[in-house]
Amino acid sequence: MELTKSQIQQIDNRLKSGGIKYWDLRLEIIDHIATDLEQNSKSNDFNKELNNSLKRMGYLNNLSAVNTKGWQNVNKFYRKRYLDNIKTYLKKPLILLLVVLSIITNYFLFEYLPLKTFKLLNFSLYIIFSIPFFVLTTKLWLKKYGKSVHLDYGIFYFGFALIMINLPIQFAGYFEAIYQKIFLILLLPIFILASISGYQLFNESIQKVERIRKELNL
Amino acid sequence: MHKKIMYICSMGNQKLYKGSLQTIILKLLASHSKMYGYEITQKVKELTKGELNITEGALYPALHKLEADGLLDVEVAKVGNRLRKYYKLTESGTKETANKLQEMQEFLKTMQHLVNPKFSVE
């Protein structure tokens, strides 16, 4: 017997209150439990059968561990894609040429501009390339898509370069002048590449979530 | 507590089966165009006549890991009042399945030589 919408909702509520806070992690478990209940229920007591099903799955009192394992796997997936994207970009001759040109341009700017002006120019470029992050994440937040593990990691990796940029800048001061120079010249092209990779993942995560929502008629 | 849900439960040989879970999943998906989680657990139970019962706590992390490694692709479809995630092999997943099965054959052959030198699976 097929479960009703209200019974599916009950399963969802149970998983949520048990610690699986991301709705896109709950989807698959809901289907598993629902299929199990449809095939193995022996009574009409839905709550009792739900408990039995969770026990059979080894999930009873274990739901927060399922949540942790779930987001760890999604993070791993996005982290791998983030690095793979950058490697793929660098294999494309046009992108590689643009990266080399930007490094050469930055080198000449460093050589011929006063250091203060060079830093101000680079800082302005960091700001310009960070604007899409703030605009697009605000637009996404206004859509109210709920707590999605895919969106969380899409946003995280979109902003990852921005979060991490401070680290090499802080540490640069501990190195000799020549290394500081290399840092300053290379950092901007790396930041742009990483931001583009993050943007691609961000877009993919939105597409993934919108596809699921469309299937759910939301 | 967390580790407890990671085991594959079988009648007695769970430790022997544990390292083979990914190969089992890949092999099943190689012979079916796409499968969902519950279907995989039931198929394994059926094929092994109940000897091997994969728990969900072991199955889904393994599926998600294979997906993260680019070996599986996911498709979502509405079934009844809920959504179902189907898994299918990617191109590199198909290649990896062949490698894993080859490794498994070699492992079995080696084990056979070790535990019973007089007989061989060849």
Side-chain angles (χ1 to χ4, degrees):
Chain A
M1 188 188 69
E2 190 178 290
L3 296 190
T4 63
K5 262 189 182 174
S6 129
Q7 286 170 324
I8 296 289
Q9 191 58 52
Q10 263 179 272
I11 301 172
D12 190 35
N13 293 342
R14 179 66 185 277
L15 296 177
K16 196 175 176 181
S17 64
I20 306 181
K21 54 184 181 171
Y22 295 109
W23 62 262
D24 39 0
L25 282 182
R26 291 196 299 272
L27 280 179
E28 193 167 42
I29 304 169
I30 291 172
D31 178 50
H32 197 106
I33 294 173
T35 313
D36 184 47
L37 287 172
E38 283 169 356
Q39 297 190 4
N40 298 315
S41 282
K42 291 182 179 90
S43 72
N44 290 325
D45 186 343
F46 185 76
N47 281 327
K48 185 182 150 200
E49 292 296 339
L50 177 55
N51 271 340
N52 288 340
S53 179
L54 286 169
K55 212 180 280 178
R56 276 195 293 276
M57 291 172 73
Y59 280 0
L60 195 68
N61 304 323
N62 256 334
L63 293 171
S64 53
V66 176
N67 185 66
T68 307
K69 196 75 199 161
W71 67 251
Q72 282 174 342
N73 278 316
V74 174
N75 180 27
K76 191 187 166 203
F77 174 76
Y78 278 86
R79 187 173 58 225
K80 187 173 182 295
R81 291 292 315 279
Y82 187 71
L83 297 172
D84 285 350
N85 281 348
I86 296 174
K87 282 183 210 162
T88 310
Y89 299 152
L90 292 174
K91 281 178 191 162
K92 291 182 180 168
L94 181 66
I95 295 180
L96 191 60
L97 182 71
L98 287 173
V99 171
V100 172
L101 281 178
S102 66
I103 292 171
I104 293 169
T105 311
N106 225 13
Y107 170 77
F108 281 109
L109 290 174
F110 186 89
E111 288 294 316
Y112 296 106
L113 287 179
L115 187 61
K116 204 174 169 187
T117 316
F118 172 81
K119 281 185 175 173
L120 186 69
L121 184 68
N122 265 234
F123 182 70
S124 309
L125 288 169
Y126 286 124
I127 298 288
I128 289 168
F129 278 98
S130 302
I131 290 172
F133 172 76
F134 294 107
V135 174
L136 295 173
T137 49
T138 308
K139 267 174 80 178
L140 177 67
W141 178 71
L142 291 171
K143 285 184 180 172
K144 307 242 179 275
Y145 280 168
K147 193 141 184 68
S148 152
V149 68
H150 286 284
L151 288 183
D152 268 16
Y153 281 101
I155 293 168
F156 175 75
Y157 282 101
F158 190 17
F160 189 68
L162 190 64
I163 300 165
M164 296 306 289
I165 198 73
N166 198 33
L167 200 68
I169 291 173
Q170 292 294 324
F171 277 102
Y174 292 100
F175 293 92
E176 289 173 29
I178 180 72
Y179 295 116
Q180 286 189 41
K181 182 178 168 181
I182 294 170
F183 268 141
L184 288 171
I185 291 169
L186 290 180
L187 211 54
L188 185 64
I190 294 171
F191 172 78
I192 295 170
L193 268 186
S195 294
I196 294 170
S197 171
Y199 171 69
Q200 196 180 327
L201 286 182
F202 175 72
N203 256 342
E204 283 173 19
S205 71
I206 295 176
Q207 282 167 16
K208 200 173 269 188
V209 166
E210 286 182 339
R211 209 167 50 232
I212 296 173
R213 287 177 63 88
K214 198 175 154 195
E215 288 285 349
L216 283 166
N217 294 323
L218 289 172
Chain B
M1 180 71 85
H2 179 65
K3 272 193 172 172
K4 191 179 161 193
I5 63 165
M6 293 297 296
Y7 289 124
I8 303 165
C9 300
S10 77
M11 300 307 280
N13 296 325
Q14 65 263 42
K15 281 186 183 170
L16 291 175
Y17 289 123
K18 198 182 166 192
S20 314
L21 181 56
Q22 289 194 4
T23 313
I24 294 168
I25 294 170
L26 290 172
K27 169 68 181 143
L28 274 179
L29 288 169
S31 38
H32 296 79
S33 58
K34 58 180 184 179
M35 291 179 95
Y36 57 97
Y38 190 85
E39 192 183 9
I40 293 174
T41 60
Q42 297 310 300
K43 195 75 194 168
V44 169
K45 211 188 273 183
E46 180 197 317
L47 289 171
T48 61
K49 297 185 175 68
E51 168 69 14
L52 180 57
N53 183 17
I54 301 176
T55 64
E56 294 64 29
L59 175 72
Y60 289 110
L63 284 169
H64 298 159
K65 189 183 179 304
L66 290 168
E67 186 193 352
D69 292 341
L71 304 179
L72 298 185
D73 220 351
V74 169
E75 212 177 273
V76 180
K78 195 165 186 185
V79 175
N81 292 307
R82 59 187 184 269
L83 285 190
R84 177 164 287 165
K85 265 173 97 174
Y86 286 97
Y87 294 90
K88 54 185 181 183
L89 288 180
T90 59
E91 211 173 296
S92 56
T94 308
K95 283 178 199 160
E96 186 61 17
T97 306
N99 292 340
K100 290 244 182 211
L101 288 173
Q102 178 68 30
E103 278 172 22
M104 178 64 82
Q105 289 289 347
E106 280 161 18
F107 171 74
L108 290 174
K109 218 190 287 176
T110 310
M111 287 308 292
Q112 186 69 31
H113 287 310
L114 280 172
V115 297
N116 200 354
K118 285 181 187 171
F119 298 100
S120 164
V121 287
E122 280 177 302

